[in-house]
């Protein structure tokens, strides 16, 4: 995750402590405590075309009970994870979601929510606020009919917007989650307009990853020139907000060459924070699947991230999360955490490999069939990445 506002405009945020915290001793072979994405249910009231979890409307008998969920939260607290992100499916379909969020916070873990927003009424927002949730990320993939098409519902946009307003009125920090693809990238300027009009403080632009139902969207991934244009637009809009005195957090997710592109642009502009931006990127060391992020399924299955669902690491109903995450004999995790040795092709020759981490391995595998191949999502030119 790249915080464009932080690197380009110096706007600090709560998440910086996770992204840009330098270890006390870089020589210690420690396992990073990850942010955990908990897909707590596979049920959903919508039918999104790019859903990585293949969520549906049906009940799943393998979901955690409230008692089992609290036991897992206890284990995650003892392991000192920094953030637990409740996701789905649609997590608000669980009747105990407010209780579980409150319990998570009581155990010293930051609780955040990923939701489609359509179920957030004023009463729901009030309960979320009372549960002490830190943040609600609400998916919005276009304006009006564009969003409705993505979500498979004629009322999705209006209901999502109502949910956003309910959160803001209740004093909950809310942000948008926008997945970029060929069908919706032209809506990005209007999304920025919406942020300003509705006083939305944060947005995460996700690069499409072809997982779950998204596996059918390989032809919808934007090309190199489109990627560069979009990234320049995002940077320009971030600067525009900053110049207006609007403190908006603008982030991009799941394409780690975004950080390199931003640094190279800052270098050309002779931006005064160029050296600091490079230092922060070096600390962050993107490509955190299996390192800085993990995913737990509704049935207890553990994955290196929420998209890489064919890489089962274990199940928390059989072993603790700490045992699974810190297993020294897991060959896949060991390779993932030392991936510089295994990455091939163009990525292996890139002078920014230590910053980018070989970009996003789940996308490389989805697009090429080889998890160590160069990520086709990289939009940097050869002359930008060649060793100097």
């Amino acid at each position: 995750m790249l915080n464009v506002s932080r690197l380009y405009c110096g706007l600090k945020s709560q998440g910086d402590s996770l992204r840009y915290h330098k270890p006390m001793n870089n020589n210690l072979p420690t396992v990073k405590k990850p942010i955990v994405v908990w897909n707590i249910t596979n049920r959903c009231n919508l039918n999104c075309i790019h859903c990585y979890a293949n969520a549906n409307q049906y009940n799943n008998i393998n979901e955690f009970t409230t008692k089992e969920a609290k036991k897992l939260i206890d284990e995650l607290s003892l392991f000192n994870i920094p953030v637990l992100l409740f996701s789905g499916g649609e997590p608000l379909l669980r009747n105990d979601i407010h209780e579980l969020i409150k319990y998570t916070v009581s155990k010293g873990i930051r609780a955040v929510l990923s939701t489609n927003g359509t179920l957030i009424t004023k009463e729901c927002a009030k309960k979320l606020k009372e549960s002490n949730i830190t943040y609600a990320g609400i998916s919005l993939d276009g304006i009006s009919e564009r969003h409705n098409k993505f979500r498979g519902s004629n009322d999705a946009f209006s209901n999502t917007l109502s949910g956003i307003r309910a959160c803001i009125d209740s004093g909950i920090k809310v942000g948008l989650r926008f997945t970029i693809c060929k069908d919706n990238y032209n809506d990005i300027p209007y999304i920025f307009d919406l942020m300003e009009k509705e006083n939305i403080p944060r947005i995460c632009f996700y690069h499409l990853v072809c997982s779950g139902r998204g596996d059918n969207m390989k032809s919808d991934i934007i090309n190199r020139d489109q990627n560069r244009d979009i990234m320049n637009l995002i940077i320009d809009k971030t600067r525009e907000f900053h110049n207006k005195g609007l403190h908006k957090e603008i982030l991009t997710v799941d394409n780690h060459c975004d950080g390199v592109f931003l640094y190279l642009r800052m270098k050309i502009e002779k931006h005064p924070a160029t050296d600091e931006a490079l230092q922060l990127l070096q600390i962050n060391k993107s490509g955190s699947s299996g390192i800085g992020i993990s995913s737990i399924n509704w049935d207890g299955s553990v994955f290196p991230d929420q998209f890489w669902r064919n890489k089962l690491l274990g199940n928390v109903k059989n072993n603790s999360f700490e045992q699974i995450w810190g297993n020294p004999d897991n060959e896949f995790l060991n390779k993932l955490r030392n991936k510089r040795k295994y990455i091939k092709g163009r990525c292996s020759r890139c002078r920014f490999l230590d910053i980018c981490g070989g970009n996003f391995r789940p996308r490389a595998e989805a697009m090429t069939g080889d998890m160590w191949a160069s990520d086709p999502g990289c939009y940097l030119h050869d002359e930008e990445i060649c060793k100097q």
Side-chain angles (χ1 to χ4, degrees):
M1 182 173 284
L2 174 72
N3 188 338
V4 180
S5 304
R6 172 70 177 90
L7 272 65
Y8 197 69
C9 299
L11 180 64
K12 296 183 180 180
S13 66
Q14 187 176 18
D16 289 346
S17 61
L18 300 174
R19 284 183 287 273
Y20 308 125
H21 174 70
K22 191 170 185 178
M24 294 294 291
N25 186 341
N26 286 328
N27 295 319
L28 290 177
T30 57
V31 176
K32 186 173 183 178
K33 302 299 175 65
I35 294 170
V36 174
V37 178
W38 190 1
N39 299 102
I40 198 165
T41 180
N42 195 41
R43 289 173 288 152
C44 191
N45 60 316
L46 298 181
N47 186 33
C48 306
I49 61 174
H50 56 325
C51 178
Y52 65 77
N54 269 317
N56 56 60
Q57 61 182 319
Y58 304 107
N59 289 330
N60 192 313
I61 60 174
N62 293 322
E63 285 184 9
F64 279 68
T65 65
T66 303
K67 182 178 179 180
E68 290 173 330
K70 287 184 175 180
K71 180 177 181 292
L72 176 59
I73 292 168
D74 289 338
E75 291 182 3
L76 296 175
S77 175
L78 289 173
F79 189 52
N80 292 318
I81 69 159
V83 178
L84 183 58
L85 189 156
F86 289 89
S87 187
E90 174 47 58
L92 291 175
L93 284 173
R94 282 194 61 124
N95 295 328
D96 59 357
I97 187 64
H98 302 287
E99 179 182 353
L100 295 178
I101 291 171
K102 197 170 200 176
Y103 189 75
T104 299
V105 176
S106 75
K107 290 296 178 176
I109 303 173
R110 280 176 54 198
V112 299
L113 181 71
S114 176
T115 172
N116 62 47
T118 61
L119 302 179
I120 303 179
T121 60
K122 290 183 178 179
E123 180 63 26
C124 177
K126 181 182 177 182
K127 289 181 179 180
L128 286 172
K129 180 64 176 178
E130 290 171 349
S131 72
N132 293 316
I133 191 140
T134 300
Y135 170 76
I138 299 180
S139 297
L140 191 68
D141 292 310
I143 299 299
S144 192
E145 293 306 315
R146 188 92 61 191
H147 180 71
N148 292 342
K149 178 183 175 183
F150 267 73
R151 301 287 157 179
S153 168
N154 293 332
D155 300 319
F157 181 78
S158 59
N159 291 338
T160 296
L161 191 56
S162 294
I164 291 168
R165 289 168 175 166
C167 285
I168 293 173
D169 290 345
S170 296
I172 298 169
K173 182 179 179 181
V174 65
L176 304 181
R177 297 161 54 90
F178 184 100
T179 299
I180 304 168
C181 70
K182 285 181 179 179
D183 280 347
N184 70 355
Y185 76 90
N186 285 321
D187 276 2
I188 291 177
Y190 304 104
I191 293 293
F192 277 105
D193 291 342
L194 184 72
M195 287 183 68
E196 185 170 358
K197 178 183 177 182
E198 300 289 340
N199 196 28
I200 299 168
R202 190 176 193 261
I203 187 167
C204 294
F205 288 101
Y206 283 75
H207 292 263
L208 177 63
V209 181
C210 298
S211 177
R213 283 199 290 274
D215 186 56
N216 297 318
M217 297 184 67
K218 290 185 175 69
S219 62
D220 294 298
I221 290 181
I222 55 177
N223 63 37
R224 179 179 294 184
D225 290 338
Q226 290 167 335
N227 247 317
R228 295 174 74 92
D229 289 343
I230 290 167
M231 192 60 191
N232 276 321
L233 172 64
I234 289 171
I235 298 169
D236 290 341
K237 287 292 186 179
T238 302
R239 179 176 57 193
E240 182 180 318
F241 277 156
H242 183 73
N243 290 343
K244 287 182 177 181
L246 301 175
H247 291 173
K248 308 286 190 184
E249 293 178 56
I250 314 298
L251 304 101
T252 68
V253 189
D254 296 335
N255 198 331
H256 307 311
C257 74
D258 286 349
V260 177
F261 183 86
L262 176 62
Y263 163 71
L264 292 174
R265 170 169 161 164
M266 291 173 72
K267 191 174 180 181
I268 291 171
E269 294 176 347
K270 298 188 180 345
H271 193 295
T274 302
D275 290 341
E276 181 188 7
L278 180 61
Q279 291 172 3
L280 293 175
L281 289 170
Q282 289 170 333
I283 292 171
N284 191 29
K285 294 188 183 300
S286 297
S288 59
S289 300
I291 303 171
I293 193 166
S294 178
S295 175
I296 300 176
N297 231 16
W298 51 89
D299 63 355
S301 301
V302 179
F303 305 104
D305 65 42
Q306 65 270 43
F307 298 101
W308 224 347
R309 309 182 76 78
N310 62 332
K311 297 292 188 292
L312 179 65
L313 304 179
N315 192 297
V316 291
K317 291 185 177 180
N318 302 322
N319 299 99
S320 72
F321 181 81
E322 181 175 3
Q323 290 173 323
I324 295 169
W325 196 250
N327 181 5
D329 298 321
N330 189 307
E331 182 181 0
F332 170 75
L333 276 181
N334 288 335
K335 286 184 175 181
L336 194 59
R337 292 166 181 169
N338 295 279
K339 57 182 173 290
R340 183 186 178 95
K341 300 177 183 178
Y342 307 100
I343 287 174
K344 305 172 185 175
R346 187 170 180 261
C347 285
S348 68
R349 301 187 295 272
C350 177
R351 63 186 172 116
F352 296 108
L353 179 57
D354 284 339
I355 292 175
C356 178
N359 214 329
F360 201 54
R361 295 292 95 207
R363 182 172 46 240
E365 182 177 59
M367 299 299 290
T368 71
D370 183 355
M371 64 173 285
W372 301 119
S374 293
D375 182 355
C378 177
Y379 53 86
L380 299 172
H381 296 311
D382 288 344
E383 57 268 23
E384 291 174 320
I385 69 171
C386 63
K387 295 181 179 179
Q388 297 179 345

